[in-house]
Amino acid sequence: MNVPHTARINIAIDGPAGAGKSTVARMVASSLQYIYVDTGAMYRAVTFKALEAGLSTEDNELVGRLAKELDITLLPGTDAQRVLVNGEDVSSRLRTLDINRSVSYIARLETVRYRMAELQRQMALSKGVVMDGRDIGTHVLPDAELKIFLTATPRERATRRYLELGPDAGISLNQLEQEIKERDRLDEEREIAPLLRAPDARLIDSTGRTVDEVAEEIVQWGIAVARTILAEEK
Ligand code: CDP
């Protein structure tokens, strides 16, 4: 796609598990030639290391210390983003059922959130970033020029996750739906930076819509916002 000459902006995409954020965000970043930052992968990387070290998912101090010492690097990959932790590529080990079940506990820890938000803000400093997560528009990048809240019904989100995991994962669609609802609850009810639609975020319900359609809508909004900013700067 030909990217018109516009100002570079930051785009925040928040929403619950399985709403399609990561696929859509990657497509938007690729269309606009922006950098995609998957913040969920960062929480997953911390969870992976905390479980590996045998730490309790409730231990704010120890998990926080671990998070601070980890060197997390996100690299664009052909399919999904590659995640390096202390130089080791852990990408293929972050989307397991074990991590799905623990990540929202790790993401409740104040020390971990503080560290992740700090890293995420650094990544967005030079603009031209599409960042997806739960608290990007409300907390990490409250000044993002375009904010999206992407959602879909729990059933549809569970179905997508079911197809992603495959039938060999040993979990039924109903169980997955329950787990997704539980993760929504933990993310929405936590004290620090809960999953919340920013008042100035545009709401997109992706139920029954393709990722291409949704990504294209966001790209068009992004271009419009960036053009307005450029015009105002002149
Ligand atoms: O891909 P999926 O939507 O299942 O989840 P994810 O984006 O990989 O995020 C995994 C978990 O990390 C979420 O359920 C949240 O508990 C946490 N998270 C967060 O708290 N804040 C973010 N900005 C991103 C993820």
Side-chain angles (χ1 to χ4, degrees):
M1 175 182 189
N2 252 341
V3 184
H5 181 63
T6 54
R8 284 170 80 74
I9 62 167
N10 283 332
I11 303 179
I13 305 183
D14 290 302
K21 297 183 303 292
S22 53
T23 314
V24 163
R26 198 168 42 246
M27 291 169 83
V28 171
S30 148
S31 285
L32 295 172
Q33 292 164 23
Y34 278 13
I35 291 168
Y36 166 48
V37 178
D38 176 355
T39 63
M42 298 170 73
Y43 286 95
R44 286 172 183 274
V46 176
T47 306
F48 173 72
K49 281 293 181 186
L51 294 180
E52 192 181 64
L55 302 182
S56 155
T57 54
E58 313 267 325
D59 197 328
N60 189 46
E61 201 188 317
L62 281 187
V63 183
R65 204 178 299 160
L66 174 101
K68 206 158 178 212
E69 284 163 5
L70 289 182
D71 173 19
I72 303 178
T73 311
L74 303 179
L75 297 175
T78 37
D79 215 15
Q81 185 155 65
R82 282 172 55 221
V83 185
L84 305 190
V85 178
N86 298 338
E88 184 194 359
D89 189 339
V90 297
S91 324
S92 63
R93 293 144 86 185
L94 297 183
R95 304 199 66 86
T96 61
L97 282 175
D98 272 351
I99 293 185
N100 285 354
R101 284 171 187 152
S102 299
V103 62
S104 292
Y105 291 94
I106 295 284
R108 285 203 299 196
L109 304 175
E110 185 184 1
T111 50
V112 174
R113 296 212 74 82
Y114 183 85
R115 176 65 181 149
M116 294 302 109
E118 186 178 56
L119 291 175
Q120 290 153 12
R121 287 188 190 116
Q122 281 167 15
M123 293 174 180
L125 275 181
S126 5
K127 302 266 179 184
V129 160
V130 182
M131 194 174 280
D132 85 340
R134 302 292 188 285
D135 60 339
I136 310 307
T138 50
H139 181 69
V140 176
L141 304 177
D143 296 330
E145 290 81 359
L146 177 61
K147 299 180 186 177
I148 307 291
F149 194 84
L150 185 61
T151 187
T153 59
R155 189 68 177 181
E156 170 122 351
R157 295 189 280 121
T159 306
R160 291 176 187 167
R161 216 20 70 88
Y162 185 73
L163 296 172
E164 182 183 299
L165 287 166
D168 297 339
I171 184 162
S172 70
L173 181 58
N174 282 339
Q175 258 173 300
L176 263 179
E177 188 176 348
Q178 283 319 310
E179 291 197 3
I180 278 201
K181 284 184 179 163
E182 174 59 7
R183 199 135 64 86
D184 288 353
R185 190 187 66 76
L186 287 168
D187 290 345
E188 284 162 2
E189 290 179 2
R190 72 169 169 242
E191 259 173 58
I192 313 156
L195 167 65
L196 192 73
R197 177 184 170 194
D200 52 349
R202 298 176 193 229
L203 178 70
I204 301 183
D205 185 340
S206 70
T207 311
R209 297 185 65 190
T210 66
V211 283
D212 295 88
E213 264 170 47
V214 173
E216 184 53 26
E217 187 172 345
I218 298 174
V219 166
Q220 292 310 324
W221 278 340
I223 291 173
V225 170
R227 275 202 179 120
T228 310
I229 292 172
L230 190 69
E232 282 168 3
E233 279 170 1
K234 276 185 183 159

